[in-house]
Amino acid sequence: KMIDFISDLSSYARNKNSNFALITNNGLDLYQKDQVPDGYAQRLLDAVGGALIEGAQYNWDDNHDGGVATSKKTKKYIADDTAVLHANNKPVFSADYCGKDPQKAATAVKENAKNNIATFPARYKELTSLEYVNQENFPKNRDINTLNDVQTFAFLLNPDKFANKADYLNALKNSPTDLLIIDLYYDDKPLTPEDLSSLKIKADGHKRLVYSYMSIGEAENYRYYWQKSWSKKLPDWIIGKNDEWEGDYPVKYWSKEWQKIIYGTPDAYLDKILTAGFDGAFLDIVDGYENFE
């Protein structure tokens, strides 16, 4: 059902913008032929432009402090499960949570490159900073037209540390990365097509891609679609709350009510992303199927 959902999102978006692409977050089991019904792994591969994983080299601990080295067992799992993506010419990205040690940021970039994985070395789990972006030796003078062109990316979902929208957009504009993954909203207002046009040009004058975050496995009580009545009584397609992330609520992602929130009308989330002019969407909580296993 998760693969069906992603495939439907892809078809819908491509019908409106043939170049629009999706990046999935985690949920690597869905790409494995021995884990899903016949034909479904390929269906997912056909629907997406690439996949992101978290912590290929470093992750966070229970206190949300980064810099915890990923185990050899997990690294082998990542290598085994991303092999099918590489074999199908689908790029793989990693957000590595490096904590306060800039050397770990450099190490994450170097080690992931050996496995053909582009890296965003994050200072904070909350993805509030571009602090380690310049640890990399960025290639220049290149237009980025597809995800396969991407060698570097920035992943900034929480702009709270910026004084205002102008500072936030300037920081993004000045990032030398090939791909930006950001939120659709700043201060509860969606970014405009004008904002997106400016972000799609790097400081060196060449094109880059800009993708919007969108959770498809959890509802978020700080989003425009959240209804006050849900805080008193959850609809039956919301199954509870995520105790690790305040304000997040796992959903029955196959429900018509939820999918109508995500796409299909001018007020739906994906439609707002398309209207703003993003090049694609980053799909979070793809592994929400684990709530129902």
Side-chain angles (χ1 to χ4, degrees):
K1 290 180 178 178
M2 179 58 81
I3 292 175
D4 285 339
F5 189 18
I6 294 171
S7 181
D8 289 346
L9 291 173
S10 177
S11 296
Y12 180 81
R14 287 173 177 171
N15 187 52
K16 292 181 175 294
N17 177 356
S18 61
N19 294 319
F20 197 89
L22 304 176
I23 298 173
T24 58
N25 187 30
N26 296 321
L28 293 177
D29 288 345
L30 298 181
Y31 291 98
Q32 314 308 314
K33 290 183 179 180
D34 61 345
Q35 298 291 318
V36 296
D38 288 347
Y40 266 74
Q42 189 60 52
R43 187 179 185 199
L44 181 60
L45 286 164
D46 291 341
V48 305
L52 186 143
I53 54 179
E54 295 182 270
Q57 300 298 326
Y58 296 103
N59 221 314
W60 62 77
D61 59 18
D62 291 340
N63 295 320
H64 288 198
D65 293 326
V68 179
T70 301
S71 68
K72 290 183 179 179
K73 180 179 179 180
T74 299
K75 286 182 180 180
K76 185 178 186 307
Y77 160 75
I78 290 172
D80 290 346
D81 279 7
T82 55
V84 66
L85 287 149
H86 288 308
N88 283 270
N89 199 32
K90 302 293 182 179
V92 179
F93 309 91
S94 177
D96 276 271
Y97 300 94
C98 302
K100 60 185 179 181
D101 186 350
Q103 184 55 49
K104 290 181 177 178
T107 298
V109 172
K110 180 180 178 181
E111 292 302 311
N112 285 337
K114 295 177 182 178
N115 298 313
N116 196 25
I117 296 175
T119 305
F120 175 68
R123 170 67 174 87
Y124 302 100
K125 178 185 177 183
E126 293 77 15
L127 299 171
T128 57
S129 166
L130 299 174
E131 184 173 337
Y132 291 150
V133 162
N134 291 320
Q135 294 293 322
E136 302 175 63
N137 181 20
F138 289 91
K140 295 181 174 62
N141 301 318
R142 303 161 55 247
D143 280 332
I144 308 302
N145 296 304
T146 72
L147 288 175
N148 291 96
D149 299 329
V150 172
Q151 296 182 30
T152 60
F153 76 105
F155 196 14
L156 202 162
L157 298 185
N158 297 292
D160 294 348
K161 293 194 174 190
F162 296 90
N164 51 55
K165 182 179 178 180
D167 286 353
Y168 169 58
L169 293 178
N170 282 332
L172 294 172
K173 290 176 192 176
N174 291 329
S175 166
T177 56
D178 296 337
L179 166 68
L180 299 174
I181 301 176
I182 59 176
D183 202 85
L184 168 62
Y185 286 84
Y186 181 88
D187 197 22
D188 295 330
K189 295 180 181 179
L191 298 181
T192 67
E194 292 75 21
D195 295 331
L196 267 295
S197 293
S198 68
L199 293 178
K200 289 182 181 183
I201 303 299
K202 294 191 278 188
D204 65 7
H206 288 267
K207 294 191 297 183
R208 69 160 143 233
L209 301 175
V210 187
Y211 276 48
S212 173
Y213 174 93
M214 181 173 69
S215 175
I216 62 170
E218 289 183 341
E220 299 158 314
N221 68 6
Y222 43 88
R223 297 298 185 183
Y224 71 94
Y225 57 73
W226 188 268
Q227 299 181 25
K228 290 183 179 180
S229 61
W230 297 353
S231 298
K232 296 180 179 179
K233 186 180 187 306
L234 295 174
D236 58 11
W237 50 269
I238 295 181
I239 64 171
K241 63 180 180 179
N242 183 341
D243 292 328
E244 294 185 8
W245 285 98
E246 185 177 356
D248 288 11
Y249 293 78
V251 300
K252 296 177 182 178
Y253 46 84
W254 61 89
S255 71
K256 291 182 179 179
E257 293 88 349
W258 173 243
Q259 293 196 3
K260 186 176 180 180
I261 288 170
I262 295 299
Y263 78 105
T265 68
D267 198 44
Y269 211 105
L270 179 59
D271 293 76
K272 288 178 178 289
I273 290 170
L274 288 160
T275 297
F278 283 90
D279 296 299
F282 168 80
L283 306 182
D284 200 13
I285 319 298
V286 165
D287 54 0
Y289 59 82
E290 293 177 354
N291 293 315
F292 303 94
E293 291 181 333

